[in-house]
Amino acid sequence: MIVAVKTNNRKRLLIKVIAFASLIGMLVAYYFYMGEEFSKQQNLDNAKEVQLSKKDEKNEKSKKLERIVYREIETAVDLIGQRKVIDLKIVSNRALIIVDPDTNLEALRVRYGSTALIKKDIKDIKIAIDLKYIIESKYNEE
């Protein structure tokens, strides 16, 4: 024969209420913990997105400036005559073009005026075109 001893109903009820309350407390604590983790992850994702957008904007700006410089140098070479150009370099904010000594530079002088510095030697002619003002004016247009 098995004898079962039952405790008082009040104690049993009190134990069940405490267990249920502790379970609810753990669920609430877990809910708030996961909410904080989610908000931290959201902040990290937003920071990465902002950083990527800044990087993309910087790349787009550099490509735009590169296109402006390329077009301007292409125009200068067309004005001089492509066959007359010996060398072309970009040094800091100037385009350095070296051409044959018998090249006609009137069209270049008309287009660039004082922003084109011209130095004539026996072997060649060196032209330095200041790109700073050209880029500023073209970049503000677009």
Side-chain angles (χ1 to χ4, degrees):
M1 172 155 86
I2 299 175
V3 178
V5 179
K6 290 188 176 182
T7 59
N8 195 355
N9 283 340
R10 288 183 185 173
K11 288 183 181 178
R12 195 182 226 179
L13 183 64
L14 183 61
I15 292 171
K16 285 183 180 179
V17 168
I18 289 173
F20 188 70
S22 64
L23 179 65
I24 297 295
M26 289 189 323
L27 289 175
V28 168
Y30 180 73
Y31 176 77
F32 285 117
Y33 172 76
M34 289 307 290
E36 288 177 15
E37 289 294 319
F38 182 72
S39 66
K40 286 179 186 177
Q41 187 65 29
Q42 286 268 338
N43 289 340
L44 287 174
D45 290 343
N46 288 341
K48 286 180 183 178
E49 186 176 312
V50 167
Q51 193 175 25
L52 284 175
S53 67
K54 286 182 181 179
K55 188 176 180 181
D56 289 343
E57 184 177 306
K58 186 177 179 181
N59 285 342
E60 186 176 318
K61 182 179 177 181
S62 66
K63 285 181 182 179
K64 187 175 181 182
L65 290 175
E66 185 178 335
R67 275 186 256 124
I68 291 171
V69 168
Y70 180 75
R71 285 183 197 147
E72 199 60 39
I73 290 175
E74 191 177 59
T75 304
V77 169
D78 286 342
L79 289 174
I80 295 170
Q82 190 171 6
R83 293 180 186 241
K84 300 287 185 172
V85 175
I86 297 171
D87 192 18
L88 188 132
K89 296 178 187 175
I90 295 180
V91 181
S92 66
N93 60 351
R94 288 190 169 86
L96 180 64
I97 305 170
I98 301 173
V99 297
D100 289 335
D102 61 339
T103 306
N104 185 8
L105 300 175
E106 289 302 316
L108 196 70
R109 286 185 183 139
V110 169
R111 176 160 173 96
Y112 295 109
S114 63
T115 60
L117 303 173
I118 300 171
K119 182 179 178 185
K120 293 184 179 183
D121 287 338
I122 297 171
K123 296 178 186 176
D124 56 15
I125 300 174
K126 295 176 183 163
I127 306 162
I129 300 173
D130 191 13
L131 297 173
K132 181 180 176 184
Y133 299 110
I134 296 168
I135 289 173
E136 286 177 357
S137 65
K138 298 274 184 173
Y139 189 75
N140 291 336
E141 281 179 10
E142 296 177 3

